[in-house]
Amino acid sequence: MRRYVTLWISLMRLSWRRHPALTGLALGSLLLDLATFAAVGLTLRAAVDSASSGAATAAVAGAAGLAVCYGITTLLGIVTHNVRAQVAERVSLLELDPEFVRLVNRIETIEHLERTDFLDRITVLRNGSGGIVDSAWGAVETVLGVCRLMVTLLLLGTVDPWLLMLLVFAVAPLWFDQRSSGPTSRAETAAAESVRLQRHLFTLATTASAGKEIRIAGAGAELIRRQRAAWDDAARVRFRAQCVAAAWRACGWIVYTAGFVAGLLLVVRRTAAGQGTPGDIALAITVAASLRIAVQQTLNRATGVVAYRRLLDPYLWLRDYAAEHTPAGEGAPAPDRLADGIVLDRLTFTYPGTDRPALRDVSVRIPAGTLVAVVGEYGSGKSTLVKLLCKFYQPDSGAIRVDGVDLRHIGTASWRRRISAAFQDFGRYETTLRDVVGLGDPHRLDDTEAIGRAVTDADLDAVVAGLPDGLDTPVGEQFGGVNLSEGQWQKTALARACLRDGPVLFVLDEPTASLDAPSEHAIFQRYMTRARQLAASTGAVTVIVSHRFSTVSGADMIMVLRDGALVEWGSHDSLLGADGLYANLYGIQATAYDASPRG
């Protein structure tokens, strides 16, 4: 509970810091509403007692005061709701949503993005920032609601002290509601994977990328069936939890109702015995009726706050996870120029949740300025090696040494500022083409000359020339831009990789998988030239992962992986002469490309 309270206090401070006027108005309205609520009961009793004693002037004054207090209470309720909603929306959209992204991206590796427990919590948090902020306001309103209950009971106590016992019965539903929150919170996390699957299937069935295959195969009905099944699974988990929670809440209300009925009987009996004034009767009836409403409102708000545990728990977990997986120090700076090179020393790595190592005892020295190609069959560990070089994962054992320094000890941010990379599973940024390329090095977003060079290196000039506003043309259909082909999207990724000046590691992981053979050959020739230029200027190591052996035959070193092990390395000619795995695979691929139909 202490963590929740600390979080709520920090959220209220954030609201005050960002929007002091609105936050102050909302808090002031809540406090004033508490005062006017008490005034309503007191002015009512004064008006009735004055009227019954024949004091007309006092009765009119009391009635007028009652009307004013009631009007103020009604107005404050409207003001509080609208102002609080404005503050909560602004803080959630402008503060918490960006924080979610910062927390996810603050984690240096990408292991968490492939973990189901992490993704389950992100699924719960998606579009949930408003609820997190509202939980803080709900906690404040719950406290003030309890204060309102106390005021109500004190007013009843002026009629008969025994009515104070209603406080005990009013607390019972709170306890039962607390017990009801656990099942619903656990159910949200348990159902998150099914919800995520349902959303994935919906997106898959309603986007253009998969639309052609779905229609040709007639798979739409099957996707709908699976989507419904995933949603039914989530609904069953939630329904069971809601039934348990409803039973707990019903018990709380039964206890409260019993106490409420006993209190009303006590008031009626006391009045019948002539022990109270008419004002006491009016006060008791009005305040007792208000007590039910006040208890219900407070319980509803408290129940809502407790229910927000389904958001608060994943949020607190995410903050803890990010803190735990963020290095305490910055680490050593990455070199501006490679002098010796990169050494892989008995490198071994296994993906979480699997038993088979993706890389096994890989050892090799890559001299500075080397253009190295990594080849092998699918699943041989090529992309895994790239991920370790980029520090997306940490090796289980062994080390990567950069100019003799263990890569673990080099600051991740510093190292990545010295890397340029293009990956097979590249990003599609739906914005202007200028920004699509410029995001490869955000510091150069406004450097038109550098972006132009990157566009040329990626063979995008013809694409830019065909766009209505050139580099300033929005691309991507989702937001009304010009659609690009898969190959053109891949070229944008290659352009981003060319934007950064002077990297010491240049990575191309299957960078032309979506391109035709002539385009691939032309681009590889450009990148071979770029690799030589980088080698001369910064001693950069260029790593090219490719499944087409003919395009990498000009590399200085070719590393051949098989089942996670480095089985061969050397130049193209030396590997052909060794007549090993590389020569065998190269021959098979060359024969396949040459076996074209003849007319």
Side-chain angles (χ1 to χ4, degrees):
M1 186 64 187
R2 181 179 299 177
R3 296 199 68 196
Y4 299 140
V5 172
T6 302
L7 175 59
W8 290 330
I9 292 174
S10 68
L11 288 171
M12 292 307 298
R13 286 176 175 170
L14 179 62
S15 298
W16 180 269
R17 189 166 60 251
R18 298 300 186 193
H19 307 286
L22 291 177
T23 303
L25 178 59
L27 291 174
S29 298
L30 288 170
L31 292 172
L32 186 57
D33 178 66
L34 180 63
T36 56
F37 170 74
V40 167
L42 294 174
T43 53
L44 173 63
R45 179 163 62 179
V48 172
D49 283 342
S50 297
S52 64
S53 63
T57 302
V60 171
L66 174 63
V68 170
C69 291
Y70 185 80
I72 292 175
T73 300
T74 304
L75 178 62
L76 288 175
I78 298 173
V79 170
T80 302
H81 174 76
N82 287 284
V83 173
R84 186 205 67 216
Q86 282 288 321
V87 175
E89 182 179 27
R90 294 184 185 185
V91 172
S92 64
L93 293 178
L94 301 179
E95 303 295 336
L96 281 195
D97 281 350
E99 185 186 4
F100 294 161
V101 177
R102 283 194 298 270
L103 289 172
V104 172
N105 285 277
R106 195 173 79 187
I107 303 168
E108 295 179 345
T109 64
I110 62 171
E111 175 186 347
H112 59 292
L113 299 178
E114 300 172 349
R115 287 179 46 177
T116 56
D117 60 337
F118 186 93
L119 296 176
D120 287 347
R121 288 169 170 85
I122 293 298
T123 299
V124 173
L125 288 177
R126 183 174 296 166
N127 300 323
S129 59
I132 293 175
V133 178
D134 189 56
S135 73
W137 282 98
V140 171
E141 291 174 359
T142 299
V143 171
L144 292 177
V146 171
C147 292
R148 184 168 179 162
L149 289 175
M150 296 294 293
V151 170
T152 302
L153 292 171
L154 288 174
L155 291 173
L156 288 174
T158 63
V159 176
D160 192 314
W162 282 105
L163 292 178
L164 293 176
M165 291 299 297
L166 283 176
L167 176 61
V168 177
F169 294 94
V171 170
L174 290 172
W175 184 85
F176 282 99
D177 274 331
Q178 175 70 24
R179 294 297 300 268
S180 73
S181 66
T184 54
S185 178
R186 291 189 294 271
E188 285 298 322
T189 300
E193 185 169 349
S194 295
V195 172
R196 195 168 68 251
L197 175 59
Q198 184 268 335
R199 289 175 178 172
H200 166 71
L201 292 172
F202 179 84
T203 302
L204 189 68
T206 56
T207 53
S209 56
K212 297 184 291 295
E213 289 186 13
I214 291 172
R215 283 157 177 77
I216 291 296
E222 176 63 17
L223 291 179
I224 293 171
R225 184 193 67 78
R226 295 190 181 194
Q227 180 188 354
R228 183 184 297 114
W231 182 254
D232 287 344
D233 288 341
R236 278 193 295 270
V237 173
R238 288 170 167 172
F239 180 72
R240 286 195 296 268
Q242 289 166 358
C243 288
V244 174
W248 279 108
R249 287 195 292 269
C251 291
W253 276 105
I254 290 172
V255 172
Y256 169 73
T257 301
F260 182 72
V261 170
L264 288 181
L265 290 176
L266 178 64
V267 172
V268 171
R269 182 176 180 180
R270 184 179 185 277
T271 303
Q275 298 176 358
T277 67
D280 288 338
I281 298 174
L283 175 65
I285 294 175
T286 303
V287 174
S290 299
L291 177 62
R292 182 189 64 80
I293 298 174
V295 169
Q296 185 174 6
Q297 290 177 341
T298 303
L299 286 177
N300 287 342
R301 203 61 174 119
T303 300
V305 171
V306 173
Y308 279 135
R309 282 182 54 186
R310 65 185 177 83
L311 299 173
L312 299 179
D313 288 343
Y315 176 47
L316 292 171
W317 183 92
L318 176 60
R319 295 204 312 186
D320 291 343
Y321 187 91
E324 181 182 348
H325 291 79
T326 300
E330 295 183 358
D336 293 329
R337 179 184 177 88
L338 288 183
D340 180 56
I342 298 175
V343 174
L344 311 181
D345 182 11
R346 294 170 293 176
L347 198 63
T348 298
F349 175 75
T350 303
Y351 285 102
T354 63
D355 298 325
R356 176 178 172 272
L359 289 176
R360 295 183 289 112
D361 203 29
V362 174
S363 296
V364 69
R365 176 178 177 271
I366 306 173
T370 300
L371 171 58
V372 56
V374 183
V375 299
E377 298 172 314
Y378 289 108
S380 60
K382 303 185 298 295
S383 292
T384 301
L385 177 59
V386 166
K387 291 177 182 178
L388 294 179
L389 286 170
C390 295
K391 293 193 73 175
F392 293 146
Y393 287 92
Q394 294 291 349
D396 299 333
S397 62
I400 299 173
R401 294 190 174 86
V402 179
D403 277 356
V405 179
D406 193 325
L407 187 56
R408 290 186 183 91
H409 301 151
I410 296 177
T412 301
S414 175
W415 176 240
R416 288 179 181 158
R417 283 194 294 269
R418 308 300 299 157
I419 299 175
S420 284
F423 301 98
Q424 182 177 4
D425 49 347
F426 51 86
R428 292 168 173 80
Y429 308 132
E430 298 204 7
T431 177
T432 64
L433 187 59
R434 178 188 302 277
D435 288 345
V436 169
V437 177
L439 286 170
D441 189 354
H443 298 292
R444 311 187 77 180
L445 274 168
D446 298 323
D447 190 340
T448 301
E449 183 178 349
I451 292 174
R453 288 196 302 268
V455 164
T456 299
D457 288 339
D459 194 28
L460 266 175
D461 285 320
V463 175
V464 174
L467 295 175
D469 296 314
L471 286 172
D472 296 314
T473 303
V475 295
E477 289 184 319
Q478 187 173 358
F479 302 107
V482 175
N483 191 33
L484 299 180
S485 68
E486 185 73 10
Q488 290 169 336
W489 276 118
Q490 187 155 48
K491 287 181 179 181
T492 66
L494 289 167
R496 285 196 295 275
C498 289
L499 188 59
R500 177 165 287 168
D501 267 346
V504 297
L505 177 64
F506 186 38
V507 175
L508 299 170
D509 181 12
E510 297 280 11
T512 56
S514 299
L515 303 181
D516 54 49
S519 296
E520 179 187 43
H521 179 75
I523 287 178
F524 261 113
Q525 291 303 310
R526 289 193 178 96
Y527 282 97
M528 292 287 189
T529 301
R530 177 172 171 77
R532 302 303 180 195
Q533 293 171 345
L534 291 175
S537 61
T538 65
V541 167
T542 297
V543 178
I544 298 177
V545 176
S546 179
H547 64 283
R548 293 180 183 171
F549 287 23
S550 59
T551 60
V552 299
S553 59
D556 302 323
M557 175 191 294
I558 299 174
M559 297 170 55
V560 186
L561 295 176
R562 185 175 202 175
D563 294 330
L566 179 61
V567 294
E568 293 179 313
W569 68 93
S571 67
H572 172 73
D573 292 337
S574 66
L575 291 175
L576 286 182
D579 198 24
L581 177 61
Y582 177 82
N584 181 45
L585 294 175
Y586 184 85
I588 292 173
Q589 194 170 98
T591 301
Y593 278 117
D594 287 342
S596 57
R598 299 179 183 276

